[in-house]
Amino acid sequence: MTSSLIAAIPAAPSSADRPPVKAASPSEMPALELMYTRKRDPDIPEQLADAIARTKETFFRLITDAQERGEIVPDDPERIALLAGAALHGVAGFTATGHLPPETALTGVDELVHHLLHGLRPR
């Protein structure tokens, strides 16, 4: 599942190609405004609404496919997608506000997905 999830996420530019991240409020960063405010606006452009719907559908499909293969619990896939998506969204928000270095976020996504799938209990 981890490799499926990673493959579904577009490749991020290398850290050398990204500008330094500076902590800011949502009003100072268009990406945060989009993440936290504009996507809930009833007047958002159709293209943005479609992109949000495609993202949710892709994530939901990854969850249901993994359930069908027996890789994750057969619980409510919408709830699992919501909670797992919230965790990944948190990584993006922390990175965008400067609380998490981009390199740590990029290398930490695989670990986060592992913990979401397998829990945090020692094995």
Side-chain angles (χ1 to χ4, degrees):
M1 163 106 176
T2 301
S3 60
S4 299
L5 180 59
I6 298 300
I9 300 172
S14 73
S15 59
D17 297 333
R18 288 189 305 264
V21 176
K22 170 189 131 199
S25 70
S27 63
E28 295 173 316
M29 293 185 71
L32 285 181
E33 180 184 355
L34 174 62
M35 287 170 61
Y36 295 107
T37 308
R38 293 205 49 220
K39 71 180 179 182
R40 308 239 185 278
D41 183 343
D43 298 323
I44 62 171
E46 186 176 332
Q47 182 180 10
L48 178 57
D50 290 345
I52 292 168
R54 280 192 315 273
T55 300
K56 287 175 148 181
E57 177 57 33
T58 298
F59 200 60
F60 179 79
R61 193 171 50 254
L62 287 169
I63 298 297
T64 57
D65 289 351
Q67 286 177 320
E68 288 173 8
R69 291 188 303 269
E71 294 175 349
I72 62 174
V73 296
D75 205 345
D76 179 2
E78 287 186 25
R79 182 144 176 88
I80 293 171
L82 172 69
L83 296 173
L88 294 167
H89 196 278
V91 170
F94 275 32
T95 304
T97 58
H99 290 56
L100 186 64
E103 294 75 20
T104 302
L106 290 173
T107 59
V109 168
D110 194 48
E111 182 180 359
L112 172 61
V113 171
H114 173 82
H115 289 313
L116 287 171
L117 294 175
H118 303 287
L120 295 171
R121 285 184 286 166
R123 306 256 182 256

